[in-house]
Amino acid sequence: MRVNDKFRHLIDFLDSYSTSITLVGEHFVCIADQGVFDELSSLLSDAGYVDEPRPDKEGVIFSLSFGQWDELPPIYTDEEQFWRSVSTGQSVPQNCFIISTLQARVDGEAKGVFTKAELFLKVRQLMIDIADHYNKAENKALLFVGSDDRASKVEITLSLSFNEFSCLDCSEEMPGVFEFAATINLNDVHKGERREVLRRAIVNLLDEPHGSSSDFLWILSNVDKLKIKYQEQYELYFRNFSVSKLLNEIDQKTLEFTAKLSEFISSSQNKAIAIPGVLVAIGSLVKAGSGLGVVLIVLGVLVVNRIVVVSNSMMRDTFDDIEWQVKTSFKKYESIKDNEEVTSLARQCSAKITDKIVKARSRLKQVDWLAHITLLVTILYALALLTWGGDAASKLKDIVLGVFYALFYFNCS
């Protein structure tokens, strides 16, 4: 039998005869119906009453004195006695009865004063759970809350006097409080963050004017408001966390695309290095002793020209793909209309990378142009060499190469 279950039938019986129950003296309960003697005697015995009820001219009487029970029953003379008993414990008895107000709680039914007591105990335990430090001897919870502009230290005494308890207006449905507490204490990776957010919400709530009400009474009286403030704070925390995450993602993607571009541009530059090598080949035409040697050198220059041009064409296709990836990747960030910081950074990074791609394409055109000019110069020089001989070709070479070097320098600068 669970604790307090043995009082279940006795409390149910008292509730059914509540209109006939009176308190005699300080420790005696009288039921104004002598016909219930046998049933009451059996129920008292099952509940651990070590004596027998006694008949009286007013009805049937039994004692609430400690010596008459195996353990004190959850039967209280008034609400103040109920509060003194419950406020120092961990839970409200599932079955209990208050004689002065004839209030009964059977099987954990939540109503009236019992609901207020449940609220007090649940919120008190929640405060203990989220406190940075709990002084059990003084029954005080210490909360430390830091922010960008200040750091707060809040000390809350987790107790109420009976007068404060009586003034507590409990409109909160207990299932809502239990769900709220369960959410805060959910054991996952965000448990610490939720508790920190709740501490901030409590500090914000206590910053509101609450007159002579103690801090804990103010919290209990405004549990609904506390839940709303918590939700607002948590949404703000989550949004800030999400914004930081999105900004980091944008930065990371920008670095990735920049690294890709740098790699491809470096590859393109390596291809362009072949062009000065062709100039060396042109110079060797002067020393070519036969027409076959000249033809072989021209064919070599033609092959280098095709390698550079085809490679650059493939590079352009790669730049097109990268540009498409940039637009697709950053488009989802630009569609976040409720945060200008994210959309602005996304637009800036997208424009910056796109601009680099445009410049890279322009450089590829210059490399192609230089490759074609190199091939053209080689062919013209070879024709001059084969047609007019070495002296005329040498003069033509000096003129053409001078112009070529000037153009090469202008396009690469």
Side-chain angles (χ1 to χ4, degrees), residues 112 115-117 119 167-174 220-221:
T115 303
K116 292 199 294 184
L119 176 66
C167 294
L168 181 60
D169 182 14
C170 181
S171 59
E172 174 69 27
E173 291 291 334
M174 284 310 299
L220 289 169
S221 301

Side-chain angles (χ1 to χ4, degrees), residues 251-279:
D251 289 338
Q252 185 175 359
K253 287 184 180 295
T254 302
L255 291 174
E256 290 176 0
F257 285 125
T258 301
K260 285 183 180 180
L261 281 175
S262 298
E263 179 182 351
F264 290 128
I265 292 173
S266 176
S267 176
S268 175
Q269 290 174 342
N270 291 336
K271 298 294 189 303
I273 291 175
I275 295 177
V278 173
L279 299 178

Side-chain angles (χ1 to χ4, degrees), residues 396-408:
L396 178 63
K397 177 200 72 171
D398 294 337
I399 297 173
V400 172
L401 289 182
V403 174
F404 180 81
Y405 279 125
L407 293 173
F408 188 86

Side-chain angles (χ1 to χ4, degrees), residues 373-386 388 393 396 400:
I373 292 295
T374 302
L375 177 61
L376 179 61
V377 168
T378 303
I379 293 174
L380 291 176
Y381 184 70
L383 290 174
L385 182 63
L386 294 175
W388 297 312
L396 178 63
V400 172

Side-chain angles (χ1 to χ4, degrees), residues 75-326:
I75 302 173
Y76 310 99
T77 58
D78 53 29
E79 288 188 353
E80 186 171 1
Q81 186 190 36
F82 164 77
W83 175 242
R84 286 200 305 270
S85 174
V86 169
S87 62
T88 56
Q90 299 297 319
S91 62
V92 180
Q94 293 293 297
N95 301 282
C96 53
F97 189 82
I98 301 176
I99 298 171
S100 63
T101 56
L102 302 178
Q103 297 180 78
R105 188 186 199 211
V106 181
D107 292 336
E109 181 184 8
K111 62 180 181 180
V113 68
F114 307 116
T115 303
K116 292 199 294 184
E118 287 272 14
L119 176 66
F120 167 84
L121 294 174
K122 177 54 65 176
V123 176
R124 184 184 68 180
Q125 186 58 50
L126 182 60
M127 296 292 294
I128 293 173
D129 292 337
I130 69 168
D132 293 290
H133 176 69
Y134 173 61
N135 187 331
K136 187 175 181 180
E138 298 182 3
N139 196 22
K140 290 183 178 180
L142 188 62
L143 310 179
F144 294 100
V145 178
S147 61
D148 295 336
D149 55 347
R150 65 168 183 166
S152 301
K153 172 185 173 183
V154 179
E155 190 176 68
I156 304 174
T157 300
L158 303 180
S159 61
L160 296 179
S161 66
F162 176 67
N163 288 335
E164 290 177 319
F165 176 72
S166 300
C167 294
L168 181 60
D169 182 14
C170 181
S171 59
E172 174 69 27
E173 291 291 334
M174 284 310 299
V177 176
F178 277 95
E179 290 173 7
F180 180 52
T183 299
I184 300 300
N185 290 317
L186 187 64
N187 192 21
D188 60 12
V189 294
H190 297 295
K191 182 177 181 179
E193 285 78 7
R194 283 194 299 272
R195 291 186 171 187
E196 174 63 23
V197 170
L198 181 56
R199 285 193 286 267
R200 292 175 183 270
I202 290 171
V203 171
N204 287 342
L205 180 64
L206 294 178
D207 283 341
E208 297 180 1
H210 46 279
S212 60
S213 294
S214 66
D215 288 345
F216 193 42
L217 178 59
W218 181 250
I219 293 172
L220 289 169
S221 301
N222 293 275
V223 172
D224 283 332
K225 187 182 291 187
L226 177 61
K227 289 170 62 177
I228 293 173
K229 286 184 176 291
Y230 165 79
Q231 291 167 353
E232 292 173 347
Q233 290 282 330
Y234 192 75
E235 182 180 354
L236 180 61
Y237 162 80
F238 183 75
R239 186 165 56 200
N240 289 339
F241 173 80
S242 299
V243 167
S244 299
K245 183 179 179 181
L246 290 175
L247 294 176
N248 288 335
E249 286 182 3
I250 292 173
D251 289 338
Q252 185 175 359
K253 287 184 180 295
T254 302
L255 291 174
E256 290 176 0
F257 285 125
T258 301
K260 285 183 180 180
L261 281 175
S262 298
E263 179 182 351
F264 290 128
I265 292 173
S266 176
S267 176
S268 175
Q269 290 174 342
N270 291 336
K271 298 294 189 303
I273 291 175
I275 295 177
V278 173
L279 299 178
V280 176
I282 295 174
S284 67
L285 285 174
V286 179
K287 299 179 180 180
S290 64
L292 178 62
V294 172
V295 171
L296 290 175
I297 291 173
V298 172
L299 289 176
V301 173
L302 178 62
V303 170
V304 172
N305 172 272
R306 296 311 302 161
I307 290 175
V308 172
V309 172
V310 171
S311 176
N312 286 347
S313 178
M314 295 173 61
M315 197 73 69
R316 288 189 188 90
D317 293 337
T318 302
F319 286 153
D320 290 339
D321 292 339
I322 293 177
E323 187 174 16
W324 178 82
Q325 290 178 6
V326 169

